[in-house]
Amino acid sequence: MTIRRIVPDVHVGSQAAMQTNRDFYGLLGFEEVMHMGWVMTMASPANPTAQISFFTEERTAPVVPDLSVEVEDVDAVYAQVTASGAEVVRELRDEEWGVRRFFVRDPNGRVVNVLTHQRAGEMSVRGDGGDQP
């Protein structure tokens, strides 16, 4: 199992707070690499896997996760997690922005967003609308 990156996810209360965080983390050398209105990710230009994300809300899940873990094969990880009996907070599914993901609660109560970025065309090949693993 290959882990590609781990990203802390910070729940902020407003767009203004998101902008304040963007300005602050810009001082530390981070640059905005994604902004979808409700989630913004900043990354190090020198090390793009060094990232932090800020959420005003979670649009497709019941909670804002505490951290995100990008893995090589999310389906395999999902199978291991469900077999272990861990609490799945949000079932595995495809997102319109090109990731396949699920949420699981860790032993400390933290919610982990586990994801894989999909290659172009992969979502349409799956053909299940992303609702089934």
Side-chain angles (χ1 to χ4, degrees):
M1 178 179 337
T2 301
I3 297 172
R4 295 184 173 165
R5 67 187 167 118
I6 298 174
V7 180
D9 296 328
V10 179
H11 188 191
V12 297
S14 66
Q15 287 292 322
M18 190 177 285
Q19 296 304 94
T20 299
N21 278 283
R22 185 192 60 157
D23 294 345
F24 175 80
Y25 282 91
L27 297 172
L28 301 179
F30 285 86
E31 294 180 351
E32 183 180 304
V33 295
M34 181 190 73
H35 199 302
M36 296 174 63
W38 55 277
V39 59
M40 174 186 67
T41 299
M42 300 189 71
S44 163
N47 179 4
T49 62
Q51 299 181 353
I52 187 167
S53 291
F54 301 93
F55 290 75
T56 58
E57 63 183 312
E58 173 51 71
R59 293 247 171 112
T60 65
V63 297
V64 172
D66 295 296
L67 68 133
S68 295
V69 178
E70 181 182 357
V71 297
E72 185 174 11
D73 185 350
V74 73
D75 291 275
V77 175
Y78 183 76
Q80 288 182 319
V81 165
T82 56
S84 78
E87 179 190 351
V88 173
V89 176
R90 181 189 175 277
E91 297 295 323
L92 182 64
R93 73 179 232 196
D94 296 334
E95 298 288 5
E96 64 185 43
W97 57 89
V99 299
R100 183 162 172 79
R101 68 184 186 150
F102 71 95
F103 289 9
V104 62
R105 192 172 309 279
D106 79 6
N108 303 302
R110 303 275 187 236
V111 176
V112 182
N113 171 26
V114 184
L115 67 119
T116 296
H117 280 89
Q118 298 177 304
R119 292 178 291 277
E122 189 174 344
M123 288 172 63
S124 60
V125 170
R126 209 176 283 286
D128 63 7
D131 294 328
Q132 301 297 317

